[in-house]
């Protein structure tokens, strides 16, 4: 369905979005699925740094503390009241079960009190919907979602019609960056630190394996094991030498993560005939990956969309955006019995 048909009403349709699938407590209000009126994210990075990762129980408890103040802040910023809104969209899958439950329970309470419809949004559909924010992009297009939990190539046939063309068989791209970063003492999450080193190094210095699967799936766990073994067998040294070796190691590792993504995208662009690629998820912040995507776009003559950084990582604006299209198309609007599911696919 064309976007114009969805947005021709004089009054904008405003959706409150709630996202608590992992460690960010995020709330946003979005008009007509594309214009963000207000947004706020309470990050748990400080907490995660203390433990070297996300501790599910602690993440849920922090969501519980933050959901009310973050929502109040967003409402205050827009000066809107509940009667101005058309629905409450909330992530109900996939993610950490306890974390999802906090956001979903909160959303249910809001809809019970206000009478607004409850719109359950799949987190991955949300990542794809980030491509609609501040653009007039319409399906069909090809989407790459690369984050700490996902590595997927999806044909977005329509706002609610997805065909997963490639998925990871084991670890996600961001996950293998974070694991190696932790091993190197570069903090958590360490994708950005690996990326920064990778840009300074020689990507051909080390020959890491790339899994070539006939099925079109990705597999990154063999690469991660090979890199860990290399680190155990080799000394990076100290001082300037360490910096140089670290840069070469990260560049070679990053190239081995990015190559299968680009190869699969090239094949899928050819097979689908789609002229647009939308990229989202936290790993799309990688300048190394963006450089390769740019080359892909130029050589295949497709249009490349990468949302603003704050909409690539977990956020609630993307959930509100997807919620808007679901509400308009009459799908994914639930009675009060919607449950949180840890591992649903698209
Ligand atoms: O989408 P996201 O915020 O959370 C989910 O996993 O859903 O993605 C987080 C992932 C982490 O693995 C993090 O290391 C990675 O995104 N990341 C990056 C960069 N910034 C964040 N990876 C590579 N380069 C970056 N600049």
């Amino acid at each position: 369905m064309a976007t114009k048909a969805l947005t021709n009403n004089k009054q904008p349709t405003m959706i409150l979005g709630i996202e608590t699938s992992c460690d960010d407590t995020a709330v946003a209000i979005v008009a007509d699925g594309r214009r963000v009126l207000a947004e706020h994210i309470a990050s748990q990075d400080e907490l995660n740094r203390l433990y070297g990762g996300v501790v599910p129980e602690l993440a849920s408890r922090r969501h519980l503390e933050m959901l009310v103040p973050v929502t109040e802040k967003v409402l205050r910023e827009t000066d809107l009241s509940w009667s101005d809104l058309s629905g409450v969209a909330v992530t109900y899958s996939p993610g950490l079960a306890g974390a999802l439950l906090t956001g979903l329970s909160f959303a249910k309470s809001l809809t019970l009190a206000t009478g607004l419809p409850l719109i359950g949004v799949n987190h991955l559909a949300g990542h794809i919907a980030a491509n609609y924010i501040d653009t007039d992009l319409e399906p069909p297009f090809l989407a790459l979602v690369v984050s700490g939990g996902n590595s997927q190539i999806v044909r977005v046939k329509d706002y609610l019609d997805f065909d997963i063309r490639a998925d990871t068989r084991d670890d996600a791209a961001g996950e293998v960056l974070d694991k190696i970063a932790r091993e190197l003492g570069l903090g958590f999450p360490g994708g950005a630190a690996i990326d920064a080193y990778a840009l300074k190094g020689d990507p051909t210095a080390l020959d890491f394996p790339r899994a070539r699967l006939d099925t079109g799936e990705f597999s990154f766990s063999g690469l991660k094991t090979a890199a860990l073994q290399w680190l155990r067998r080799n000394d990076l040294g100290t001082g300037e030498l360490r910096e140089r070796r670290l840069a070469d190691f990260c560049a070679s590792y990053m190239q081995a993560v990015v190559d299968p993504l680009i190869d699969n995208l090239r094949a899928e662009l050819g097979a689908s005939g789609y002229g647009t690629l939308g990229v989202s998820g936290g790993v799309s912040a990688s300048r190394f990956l963006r450089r390769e995507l740019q080359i892909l776009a130029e050589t295949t003559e497709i249009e490349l969309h990468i949302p603003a950084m704050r909409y690539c990582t977990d956020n609630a604006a993307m959930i509100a955006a997807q919620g808007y299209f679901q509400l308009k198309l009459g799908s994914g609007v639930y009675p009060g019995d919607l449950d949180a599911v840890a591992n649903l696919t698209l």
Side-chain angles (χ1 to χ4, degrees):
M1 181 179 292
T3 315
K4 279 206 185 82
L6 295 172
T7 54
N8 260 349
N9 302 332
K10 283 198 187 83
Q11 287 297 323
T13 301
M14 289 178 285
I15 305 289
L16 181 91
I18 298 171
E19 154 65 35
T20 62
S21 67
C22 188
D23 58 332
D24 290 314
T25 315
V27 178
I29 298 177
V30 174
D32 294 331
R34 297 186 184 267
R35 194 159 46 87
V36 181
L37 302 182
E39 58 184 316
H40 191 63
I41 300 182
S43 151
Q44 299 183 7
D45 283 353
E46 231 168 84
L47 187 67
N48 299 339
R49 265 195 290 276
L50 280 180
Y51 295 93
V54 180
V55 182
E57 165 96 15
L58 298 181
S60 306
R61 287 174 186 274
R62 187 56 67 86
H63 287 315
L64 218 49
E65 282 170 35
M66 298 312 297
L67 271 164
V68 171
V70 170
T71 305
E72 282 176 341
K73 188 173 159 66
V74 165
L75 283 169
R76 258 199 318 274
E77 262 172 39
T78 53
D79 250 346
L80 292 171
S81 62
W82 291 105
S83 59
D84 297 315
L85 301 177
S86 298
V88 176
V90 60
T91 309
Y92 74 101
S93 184
L96 301 171
L100 289 166
L101 279 171
T102 59
L104 181 56
S105 304
F106 181 60
K108 284 187 182 190
S109 311
L110 293 178
T111 56
L112 185 67
T114 58
L116 290 169
L118 175 72
I119 311 161
V121 174
N122 182 300
H123 182 76
L124 300 167
H127 270 307
I128 290 170
N131 288 289
Y132 304 132
I133 297 172
D134 293 334
T135 70
D136 52 10
L137 177 66
E138 293 178 19
F141 61 93
L142 196 67
L144 171 69
V145 182
V146 264
S147 69
N150 305 284
S151 312
Q152 286 189 332
I153 294 175
V154 181
R155 284 190 195 181
V156 184
K157 297 177 166 176
D158 208 334
Y159 293 99
L160 303 176
D161 188 0
F162 307 106
D163 181 6
I164 301 173
R165 307 299 298 177
D167 202 344
T168 183
R169 176 181 279 197
D170 36 57
D171 295 348
E175 202 176 347
V176 291
L177 295 179
D178 292 340
K179 290 221 170 110
I180 292 299
R182 185 147 51 184
E183 185 74 13
L184 290 167
L186 297 177
F188 179 88
I194 299 240
D195 190 45
Y197 271 108
L199 290 167
K200 297 185 281 187
D202 173 7
T204 63
L206 302 172
D207 189 18
F208 287 127
R210 281 96 165 131
R212 306 253 179 232
L213 304 175
D214 295 338
T215 52
E217 290 170 296
F218 303 117
S219 170
F220 294 111
S221 73
L223 164 65
K224 181 187 67 189
T225 307
L228 286 172
Q229 281 172 350
W230 190 92
L231 285 172
R232 276 166 204 156
R233 280 200 217 105
N234 295 275
D235 184 9
L236 286 170
T238 55
E240 250 181 56
L241 177 66
R242 178 182 167 83
E243 289 297 293
R244 260 204 323 277
R245 284 187 177 158
L246 199 51
D248 283 348
F249 173 88
C250 289
S252 305
Y253 188 66
M254 198 68 176
Q255 190 74 59
V257 171
V258 166
D259 277 352
L261 299 176
I262 298 291
D263 287 351
N264 274 277
L265 282 171
R266 193 182 294 281
E268 206 27 61
L269 283 166
S272 65
Y274 289 174
T276 306
L277 171 64
V279 184
S280 52
V283 180
S284 58
S286 159
R287 282 187 289 155
F288 194 100
L289 173 62
R290 285 174 181 228
R291 199 170 63 191
E292 299 281 328
L293 287 168
Q294 204 60 52
I295 295 169
L296 174 73
E298 278 158 25
T299 52
T300 54
E301 297 181 352
I302 53 117
E303 199 181 319
L304 176 63
H305 269 264
I306 307 181
M309 198 47 231
R310 62 185 182 285
Y311 303 130
C312 282
T313 50
D314 287 354
N315 68 90
M318 67 184 196
I319 302 303
Q322 179 63 19
Y324 165 79
F325 292 106
Q326 289 184 198
L327 182 69
K328 286 286 162 178
L329 298 170
S331 167
V333 180
Y334 291 88
D337 63 355
L338 177 65
D339 198 2
V341 190
N343 55 3
L344 270 191
T345 183
L346 260 178

